[in-house]
Amino acid sequence: MTVSATQRTQLSDAFLMQRDNLTLQALGAVMVQVWAQLVMHLITNTSDGVLNVSFPGTLSALARTRLFCDENLIETYLKTYAETQLITWDARTGVIGLPAELKPSRRAEASRANGRKGGRPRKTPLSGVVADQRQGNIVLPISGGKDVTRENLAKTPLTRAPAKAKLSSLSSSEDKLRLDAAFNRIGKKAYDAADLDPARDMGNYGLARQWCADGLAKGLTEDEIERLILFVVREVSARERAKGNGISFGYFHKAVTQAIARGDVPEAPKTLDQLKGERAWEEAMADYNQRRACGEMNLRRPELSDFVTQVAA
């Protein structure tokens, strides 16, 4: 099987994901192996990284003959991969696709399309007129050139590594674990809060990872980041839907990043104990004011902190 330069780059990126992606590693050895087989099949056996398995029996055949996994578990695996942004999967239409990190660049896709059409016609250097496509001269080898077949591919630098959200001022492994934990907690909630149509927007909530990174770099806690993101997403979604506008998950990016930069963290919702404490304080204040009105002296004014602390304790 011939592997193109673009496919070699995609396979290299897939290897880097398998090595570095903590979300993938957390799935367990069997699911990682099945994911690797699936991605390799999409890269080497499809023209655009998309595979339609809607025909009856196709998905089972894929699991049995290409992925070497239990046919009864393949749909569960695909759902888990899609939820964690490791592939795209639309159960309604039966379409599996590569994740954004492994898709070929636009230039590579254009080159592949031109290749299927026979390539771009050559032009003569001076006139710019399309030249005769037949071989006009013989290309002779030049001494000193590098034999591509003998090149040590293991030492070849990998290009187009997957782009990842980064903490601008933090880079330790502990910080990366904090970022992964925040994204795994908040990403799906943010997508659900947007109330998008999965048929139109394929659950591409990976953008929330950058929001989490920005929030951590700002010094916010996970709870504060979650409250801020969900508040902004819900507000913007409700506003645009009231106008009849269609939106995608990327539509929220500007509003969320601006809110993080300003530190606009909504107030945390009050607990039941806090509500009870406030009610008790209001009753005590009413009694305090009434007794003062009756002329009692040396009364201590009730403080809210006293009642909330007592109830919470």
Side-chain angles (χ1 to χ4, degrees):
M1 178 181 64
T2 303
V3 179
S4 68
T6 299
Q7 290 172 326
R8 284 200 299 270
T9 299
Q10 291 175 282
L11 292 171
S12 298
D13 290 348
F15 171 77
L16 290 177
M17 282 188 66
Q18 189 173 348
R19 186 193 67 180
D20 300 334
N21 190 293
L22 294 178
T23 302
L24 178 60
Q25 294 172 3
L27 297 180
V30 175
M31 292 191 70
V32 172
Q33 180 180 358
V34 172
W35 177 86
Q37 293 285 351
L38 174 60
V39 166
M40 183 170 64
H41 181 76
L42 292 174
I43 292 174
T44 58
N45 292 276
T46 66
S47 60
D48 53 1
V50 176
L51 180 64
N52 191 323
V53 292
S54 59
F55 189 80
T58 304
L59 185 57
S60 297
L62 175 69
R64 184 176 62 256
T65 63
R66 293 291 185 270
L67 309 184
F68 311 108
C69 72
D70 190 333
E71 300 174 32
N72 298 320
L73 295 177
I74 182 59
E75 289 198 42
T76 301
Y77 287 177
L78 291 176
K79 181 179 179 181
T80 301
Y81 296 148
E83 289 177 347
T84 50
Q85 298 295 289
L86 296 172
I87 63 165
T88 60
W89 161 241
D90 187 344
R92 185 178 62 83
T93 59
V95 175
I96 307 172
L98 289 171
E101 294 93 330
L102 300 181
K103 289 182 179 179
S105 64
R106 292 184 178 180
R107 178 178 294 181
E109 291 178 344
S111 298
R112 185 179 297 177
N114 286 333
R116 288 195 294 265
K117 298 176 182 178
R120 181 181 297 174
R122 291 187 299 111
K123 295 182 179 180
T124 58
L126 297 179
S127 66
V129 179
V130 174
D132 191 344
Q133 296 300 302
R134 294 173 294 181
Q135 182 67 46
N137 48 26
I138 300 175
V139 180
L140 298 176
I142 301 176
S143 61
K146 190 172 184 179
D147 187 350
V148 177
T149 60
R150 297 179 183 178
E151 181 180 357
N152 185 358
L153 296 179
K155 296 181 180 179
T156 302
L158 300 176
T159 59
R160 208 177 62 81
K164 297 181 179 179
K166 297 180 179 179
L167 295 171
S168 58
S169 59
L170 305 173
S171 59
S172 68
S173 58
E174 182 179 350
D175 296 326
K176 294 177 182 177
L177 290 175
R178 286 175 58 207
L179 176 56
D180 287 333
F183 171 63
N184 290 337
R185 167 182 170 177
I186 299 170
K188 183 64 165 58
K189 292 182 180 180
Y191 180 77
D192 291 340
D195 193 25
L196 300 173
D197 182 1
R200 296 177 178 271
D201 192 299
M202 300 294 292
N204 186 22
Y205 54 86
L207 187 61
R209 182 180 178 85
Q210 183 61 57
W211 301 343
C212 293
D214 293 342
L216 291 173
K218 181 75 173 177
L220 304 180
T221 65
E222 277 191 32
D223 288 338
E224 291 173 332
I225 294 172
E226 179 177 338
R227 293 203 305 271
L228 185 151
I229 291 176
L230 296 186
F231 177 81
V232 173
V233 168
R234 287 168 179 154
E235 286 288 306
V236 173
S237 178
R239 181 191 68 201
E240 295 304 314
R241 291 184 189 285
K243 297 178 180 178
N245 297 334
I247 55 177
S248 65
F249 195 70
Y251 187 85
F252 305 100
H253 184 63
K254 182 177 181 180
V256 173
T257 53
Q258 289 178 345
I260 293 174
R262 293 191 302 264
D264 292 342
V265 180
E267 183 178 345
K270 295 179 180 179
T271 65
L272 181 60
D273 287 341
Q274 289 174 321
L275 294 174
K276 289 180 178 179
E278 289 182 359
R279 189 176 302 115
W281 172 73
E282 290 173 356
E283 293 174 355
M285 280 295 298
D287 180 68
Y288 168 77
N289 291 328
Q290 183 177 5
R291 293 170 67 181
R292 283 190 61 190
C294 293
E296 290 191 39
M297 305 294 292
N298 300 323
L299 296 177
R300 181 180 179 274
R301 186 179 186 278
E303 298 294 337
L304 176 61
S305 59
D306 297 334
F307 288 86
V308 173
T309 302
Q310 290 173 6
V311 173

